[in-house]
PDB file of all heavy atoms in Angstrom:
ATOM      1  N   ALA S  22      -1.348 -38.929  20.453  1.00  0.00           N
ATOM      2  CA  ALA S  22      -1.091 -38.654  19.039  1.00  0.00           C
ATOM      3  C   ALA S  22      -2.371 -38.217  18.349  1.00  0.00           C
ATOM      4  O   ALA S  22      -2.365 -37.308  17.511  1.00  0.00           O
ATOM      5  CB  ALA S  22      -0.514 -39.884  18.365  1.00  0.00           C
ATOM      6  N   ASN S  23      -3.496 -38.846  18.719  1.00  0.00           N
ATOM      7  CA  ASN S  23      -4.769 -38.477  18.101  1.00  0.00           C
ATOM      8  C   ASN S  23      -5.157 -37.057  18.436  1.00  0.00           C
ATOM      9  O   ASN S  23      -5.612 -36.312  17.584  1.00  0.00           O
ATOM     10  CB  ASN S  23      -5.878 -39.421  18.569  1.00  0.00           C
ATOM     11  CG  ASN S  23      -5.788 -40.742  17.830  1.00  0.00           C
ATOM     12  OD1 ASN S  23      -5.072 -40.849  16.832  1.00  0.00           O
ATOM     13  ND2 ASN S  23      -6.485 -41.733  18.344  1.00  0.00           N
ATOM     14  N   ARG S  24      -4.967 -36.702  19.688  1.00  0.00           N
ATOM     15  CA  ARG S  24      -5.321 -35.352  20.113  1.00  0.00           C
ATOM     16  C   ARG S  24      -4.504 -34.326  19.325  1.00  0.00           C
ATOM     17  O   ARG S  24      -5.017 -33.328  18.869  1.00  0.00           O
ATOM     18  CB  ARG S  24      -5.031 -35.202  21.610  1.00  0.00           C
ATOM     19  CG  ARG S  24      -6.231 -34.682  22.362  1.00  0.00           C
ATOM     20  CD  ARG S  24      -5.900 -34.564  23.818  1.00  0.00           C
ATOM     21  NE  ARG S  24      -6.256 -35.776  24.543  1.00  0.00           N
ATOM     22  CZ  ARG S  24      -5.813 -36.055  25.758  1.00  0.00           C
ATOM     23  NH1 ARG S  24      -4.984 -35.239  26.369  1.00  0.00           N
ATOM     24  NH2 ARG S  24      -6.201 -37.135  26.371  1.00  0.00           N
ATOM     25  N   ARG S  25      -3.220 -34.619  19.168  1.00  0.00           N
ATOM     26  CA  ARG S  25      -2.340 -33.748  18.401  1.00  0.00           C
ATOM     27  C   ARG S  25      -2.856 -33.599  16.970  1.00  0.00           C
ATOM     28  O   ARG S  25      -2.874 -32.505  16.409  1.00  0.00           O
ATOM     29  CB  ARG S  25      -0.923 -34.338  18.434  1.00  0.00           C
ATOM     30  CG  ARG S  25       0.041 -33.805  17.400  1.00  0.00           C
ATOM     31  CD  ARG S  25       0.241 -32.326  17.471  1.00  0.00           C
ATOM     32  NE  ARG S  25       0.897 -31.896  18.700  1.00  0.00           N
ATOM     33  CZ  ARG S  25       0.997 -30.617  19.051  1.00  0.00           C
ATOM     34  NH1 ARG S  25       0.478 -29.679  18.290  1.00  0.00           N
ATOM     35  NH2 ARG S  25       1.603 -30.287  20.171  1.00  0.00           N
ATOM     36  N   GLU S  26      -3.320 -34.729  16.420  1.00  0.00           N
ATOM     37  CA  GLU S  26      -3.800 -34.656  15.031  1.00  0.00           C
ATOM     38  C   GLU S  26      -5.072 -33.832  14.921  1.00  0.00           C
ATOM     39  O   GLU S  26      -5.245 -33.075  13.965  1.00  0.00           O
ATOM     40  CB  GLU S  26      -4.021 -36.067  14.481  1.00  0.00           C
ATOM     41  CG  GLU S  26      -2.705 -36.746  14.165  1.00  0.00           C
ATOM     42  CD  GLU S  26      -2.874 -38.067  13.447  1.00  0.00           C
ATOM     43  OE1 GLU S  26      -4.025 -38.496  13.262  1.00  0.00           O
ATOM     44  OE2 GLU S  26      -1.842 -38.648  13.078  1.00  0.00           O
ATOM     45  N   VAL S  27      -5.949 -33.985  15.919  1.00  0.00           N
ATOM     46  CA  VAL S  27      -7.187 -33.186  15.900  1.00  0.00           C
ATOM     47  C   VAL S  27      -6.838 -31.701  15.969  1.00  0.00           C
ATOM     48  O   VAL S  27      -7.355 -30.885  15.205  1.00  0.00           O
ATOM     49  CB  VAL S  27      -8.107 -33.577  17.083  1.00  0.00           C
ATOM     50  CG1 VAL S  27      -9.284 -32.612  17.170  1.00  0.00           C
ATOM     51  CG2 VAL S  27      -8.610 -34.997  16.903  1.00  0.00           C
ATOM     52  N   ILE S  28      -5.905 -31.377  16.853  1.00  0.00           N
ATOM     53  CA  ILE S  28      -5.514 -29.963  16.994  1.00  0.00           C
ATOM     54  C   ILE S  28      -4.900 -29.455  15.695  1.00  0.00           C
ATOM     55  O   ILE S  28      -5.203 -28.355  15.237  1.00  0.00           O
ATOM     56  CB  ILE S  28      -4.550 -29.802  18.191  1.00  0.00           C
ATOM     57  CG1 ILE S  28      -5.337 -29.969  19.487  1.00  0.00           C
ATOM     58  CG2 ILE S  28      -3.871 -28.437  18.156  1.00  0.00           C
ATOM     59  CD1 ILE S  28      -4.490 -30.058  20.718  1.00  0.00           C
ATOM     60  N   ASN S  29      -4.056 -30.301  15.076  1.00  0.00           N
ATOM     61  CA  ASN S  29      -3.460 -29.897  13.801  1.00  0.00           C
ATOM     62  C   ASN S  29      -4.527 -29.634  12.748  1.00  0.00           C
ATOM     63  O   ASN S  29      -4.412 -28.701  11.955  1.00  0.00           O
ATOM     64  CB  ASN S  29      -2.496 -30.976  13.310  1.00  0.00           C
ATOM     65  CG  ASN S  29      -1.147 -30.868  14.004  1.00  0.00           C
ATOM     66  OD1 ASN S  29      -0.862 -29.853  14.643  1.00  0.00           O
ATOM     67  ND2 ASN S  29      -0.344 -31.903  13.893  1.00  0.00           N
ATOM     68  N   TRP S  30      -5.560 -30.468  12.771  1.00  0.00           N
ATOM     69  CA  TRP S  30      -6.644 -30.258  11.801  1.00  0.00           C
ATOM     70  C   TRP S  30      -7.391 -28.958  12.050  1.00  0.00           C
ATOM     71  O   TRP S  30      -7.671 -28.207  11.119  1.00  0.00           O
ATOM     72  CB  TRP S  30      -7.627 -31.435  11.832  1.00  0.00           C
ATOM     73  CG  TRP S  30      -7.259 -32.425  10.793  1.00  0.00           C
ATOM     74  CD1 TRP S  30      -6.458 -33.508  10.938  1.00  0.00           C
ATOM     75  CD2 TRP S  30      -7.620 -32.369   9.408  1.00  0.00           C
ATOM     76  NE1 TRP S  30      -6.297 -34.151   9.741  1.00  0.00           N
ATOM     77  CE2 TRP S  30      -7.003 -33.484   8.780  1.00  0.00           C
ATOM     78  CE3 TRP S  30      -8.394 -31.507   8.647  1.00  0.00           C
ATOM     79  CZ2 TRP S  30      -7.138 -33.732   7.418  1.00  0.00           C
ATOM     80  CZ3 TRP S  30      -8.538 -31.767   7.297  1.00  0.00           C
ATOM     81  CH2 TRP S  30      -7.911 -32.861   6.700  1.00  0.00           C
ATOM     82  N   ILE S  31      -7.677 -28.710  13.334  1.00  0.00           N
ATOM     83  CA  ILE S  31      -8.394 -27.463  13.655  1.00  0.00           C
ATOM     84  C   ILE S  31      -7.552 -26.255  13.254  1.00  0.00           C
ATOM     85  O   ILE S  31      -8.051 -25.316  12.623  1.00  0.00           O
ATOM     86  CB  ILE S  31      -8.742 -27.424  15.166  1.00  0.00           C
ATOM     87  CG1 ILE S  31      -9.768 -28.515  15.464  1.00  0.00           C
ATOM     88  CG2 ILE S  31      -9.272 -26.053  15.559  1.00  0.00           C
ATOM     89  CD1 ILE S  31     -10.025 -28.733  16.927  1.00  0.00           C
ATOM     90  N   LEU S  32      -6.243 -26.321  13.583  1.00  0.00           N
ATOM     91  CA  LEU S  32      -5.349 -25.217  13.207  1.00  0.00           C
ATOM     92  C   LEU S  32      -5.290 -25.057  11.696  1.00  0.00           C
ATOM     93  O   LEU S  32      -5.311 -23.943  11.169  1.00  0.00           O
ATOM     94  CB  LEU S  32      -3.939 -25.472  13.749  1.00  0.00           C
ATOM     95  CG  LEU S  32      -3.721 -25.170  15.227  1.00  0.00           C
ATOM     96  CD1 LEU S  32      -2.319 -25.590  15.646  1.00  0.00           C
ATOM     97  CD2 LEU S  32      -3.938 -23.691  15.520  1.00  0.00           C
ATOM     98  N   GLY S  33      -5.230 -26.200  10.999  1.00  0.00           N
ATOM     99  CA  GLY S  33      -5.161 -26.160   9.537  1.00  0.00           C
ATOM    100  C   GLY S  33      -6.396 -25.515   8.938  1.00  0.00           C
ATOM    101  O   GLY S  33      -6.303 -24.687   8.026  1.00  0.00           O
ATOM    102  N   ILE S  34      -7.563 -25.879   9.478  1.00  0.00           N
ATOM    103  CA  ILE S  34      -8.814 -25.303   8.965  1.00  0.00           C
ATOM    104  C   ILE S  34      -8.846 -23.803   9.244  1.00  0.00           C
ATOM    105  O   ILE S  34      -9.232 -22.995   8.392  1.00  0.00           O
ATOM    106  CB  ILE S  34     -10.032 -26.023   9.581  1.00  0.00           C
ATOM    107  CG1 ILE S  34     -10.115 -27.450   9.026  1.00  0.00           C
ATOM    108  CG2 ILE S  34     -11.324 -25.257   9.297  1.00  0.00           C
ATOM    109  CD1 ILE S  34     -11.036 -28.364   9.801  1.00  0.00           C
ATOM    110  N   GLY S  35      -8.389 -23.429  10.461  1.00  0.00           N
ATOM    111  CA  GLY S  35      -8.340 -22.006  10.800  1.00  0.00           C
ATOM    112  C   GLY S  35      -7.430 -21.236   9.863  1.00  0.00           C
ATOM    113  O   GLY S  35      -7.793 -20.186   9.332  1.00  0.00           O
ATOM    114  N   ALA S  36      -6.229 -21.795   9.632  1.00  0.00           N
ATOM    115  CA  ALA S  36      -5.270 -21.124   8.750  1.00  0.00           C
ATOM    116  C   ALA S  36      -5.829 -21.040   7.333  1.00  0.00           C
ATOM    117  O   ALA S  36      -5.690 -20.010   6.657  1.00  0.00           O
ATOM    118  CB  ALA S  36      -3.940 -21.876   8.759  1.00  0.00           C
ATOM    119  N   GLY S  37      -6.494 -22.120   6.898  1.00  0.00           N
ATOM    120  CA  GLY S  37      -7.112 -22.109   5.566  1.00  0.00           C
ATOM    121  C   GLY S  37      -8.184 -21.034   5.472  1.00  0.00           C
ATOM    122  O   GLY S  37      -8.287 -20.339   4.455  1.00  0.00           O
ATOM    123  N   GLY S  38      -8.958 -20.877   6.553  1.00  0.00           N
ATOM    124  CA  GLY S  38     -10.006 -19.853   6.571  1.00  0.00           C
ATOM    125  C   GLY S  38      -9.401 -18.457   6.459  1.00  0.00           C
ATOM    126  O   GLY S  38      -9.892 -17.623   5.683  1.00  0.00           O
ATOM    127  N   VAL S  39      -8.318 -18.219   7.215  1.00  0.00           N
ATOM    128  CA  VAL S  39      -7.667 -16.899   7.145  1.00  0.00           C
ATOM    129  C   VAL S  39      -7.140 -16.657   5.728  1.00  0.00           C
ATOM    130  O   VAL S  39      -7.334 -15.575   5.147  1.00  0.00           O
ATOM    131  CB  VAL S  39      -6.523 -16.803   8.183  1.00  0.00           C
ATOM    132  CG1 VAL S  39      -5.720 -15.526   7.971  1.00  0.00           C
ATOM    133  CG2 VAL S  39      -7.086 -16.833   9.590  1.00  0.00           C
ATOM    134  N   ALA S  40      -6.485 -17.684   5.172  1.00  0.00           N
ATOM    135  CA  ALA S  40      -5.927 -17.534   3.821  1.00  0.00           C
ATOM    136  C   ALA S  40      -7.035 -17.222   2.818  1.00  0.00           C
ATOM    137  O   ALA S  40      -6.893 -16.340   1.964  1.00  0.00           O
ATOM    138  CB  ALA S  40      -5.173 -18.794   3.419  1.00  0.00           C
ATOM    139  N   ALA S  41      -8.173 -17.938   2.939  1.00  0.00           N
ATOM    140  CA  ALA S  41      -9.283 -17.696   2.017  1.00  0.00           C
ATOM    141  C   ALA S  41      -9.825 -16.277   2.190  1.00  0.00           C
ATOM    142  O   ALA S  41     -10.116 -15.591   1.206  1.00  0.00           O
ATOM    143  CB  ALA S  41     -10.387 -18.720   2.261  1.00  0.00           C
ATOM    144  N   ALA S  42      -9.920 -15.833   3.465  1.00  0.00           N
ATOM    145  CA  ALA S  42     -10.458 -14.494   3.736  1.00  0.00           C
ATOM    146  C   ALA S  42      -9.535 -13.407   3.197  1.00  0.00           C
ATOM    147  O   ALA S  42      -9.973 -12.295   2.931  1.00  0.00           O
ATOM    148  CB  ALA S  42     -10.680 -14.305   5.238  1.00  0.00           C
ATOM    149  N   VAL S  43      -8.244 -13.720   3.052  1.00  0.00           N
ATOM    150  CA  VAL S  43      -7.312 -12.729   2.508  1.00  0.00           C
ATOM    151  C   VAL S  43      -7.286 -12.804   0.981  1.00  0.00           C
ATOM    152  O   VAL S  43      -7.371 -11.785   0.291  1.00  0.00           O
ATOM    153  CB  VAL S  43      -5.888 -12.949   3.098  1.00  0.00           C
ATOM    154  CG1 VAL S  43      -4.874 -12.096   2.356  1.00  0.00           C
ATOM    155  CG2 VAL S  43      -5.884 -12.618   4.580  1.00  0.00           C
ATOM    156  N   PHE S  44      -7.190 -14.030   0.449  1.00  0.00           N
ATOM    157  CA  PHE S  44      -6.938 -14.146  -0.989  1.00  0.00           C
ATOM    158  C   PHE S  44      -8.207 -14.023  -1.842  1.00  0.00           C
ATOM    159  O   PHE S  44      -8.130 -13.614  -2.987  1.00  0.00           O
ATOM    160  CB  PHE S  44      -6.184 -15.438  -1.303  1.00  0.00           C
ATOM    161  CG  PHE S  44      -4.753 -15.375  -0.838  1.00  0.00           C
ATOM    162  CD1 PHE S  44      -4.317 -16.105   0.250  1.00  0.00           C
ATOM    163  CD2 PHE S  44      -3.850 -14.527  -1.476  1.00  0.00           C
ATOM    164  CE1 PHE S  44      -3.003 -16.014   0.701  1.00  0.00           C
ATOM    165  CE2 PHE S  44      -2.543 -14.429  -1.038  1.00  0.00           C
ATOM    166  CZ  PHE S  44      -2.124 -15.170   0.045  1.00  0.00           C
ATOM    167  N   TYR S  45      -9.362 -14.369  -1.291  1.00  0.00           N
ATOM    168  CA  TYR S  45     -10.586 -14.211  -2.090  1.00  0.00           C
ATOM    169  C   TYR S  45     -10.838 -12.737  -2.450  1.00  0.00           C
ATOM    170  O   TYR S  45     -11.002 -12.409  -3.635  1.00  0.00           O
ATOM    171  CB  TYR S  45     -11.798 -14.820  -1.376  1.00  0.00           C
ATOM    172  CG  TYR S  45     -13.094 -14.548  -2.097  1.00  0.00           C
ATOM    173  CD1 TYR S  45     -13.394 -15.205  -3.291  1.00  0.00           C
ATOM    174  CD2 TYR S  45     -13.996 -13.605  -1.617  1.00  0.00           C
ATOM    175  CE1 TYR S  45     -14.556 -14.932  -3.979  1.00  0.00           C
ATOM    176  CE2 TYR S  45     -15.166 -13.318  -2.305  1.00  0.00           C
ATOM    177  CZ  TYR S  45     -15.442 -13.990  -3.490  1.00  0.00           C
ATOM    178  OH  TYR S  45     -16.579 -13.707  -4.170  1.00  0.00           O
ATOM    179  N   PRO S  46     -10.826 -11.818  -1.446  1.00  0.00           N
ATOM    180  CA  PRO S  46     -11.021 -10.399  -1.834  1.00  0.00           C
ATOM    181  C   PRO S  46      -9.960  -9.906  -2.808  1.00  0.00           C
ATOM    182  O   PRO S  46     -10.258  -9.128  -3.713  1.00  0.00           O
ATOM    183  CB  PRO S  46     -10.938  -9.651  -0.500  1.00  0.00           C
ATOM    184  CG  PRO S  46     -11.234 -10.660   0.530  1.00  0.00           C
ATOM    185  CD  PRO S  46     -10.703 -11.963   0.008  1.00  0.00           C
TER     186      PRO S  46
END
Side-chain angles (χ1 to χ4, degrees):
Chain S
N23 282 347
R24 232 180 268 165
R25 164 58 66 190
E26 285 188 356
V27 172
I28 288 171
N29 279 346
W30 266 92
I31 293 171
L32 281 175
I34 290 165
V39 172
V43 170
F44 288 108
Y45 174 73

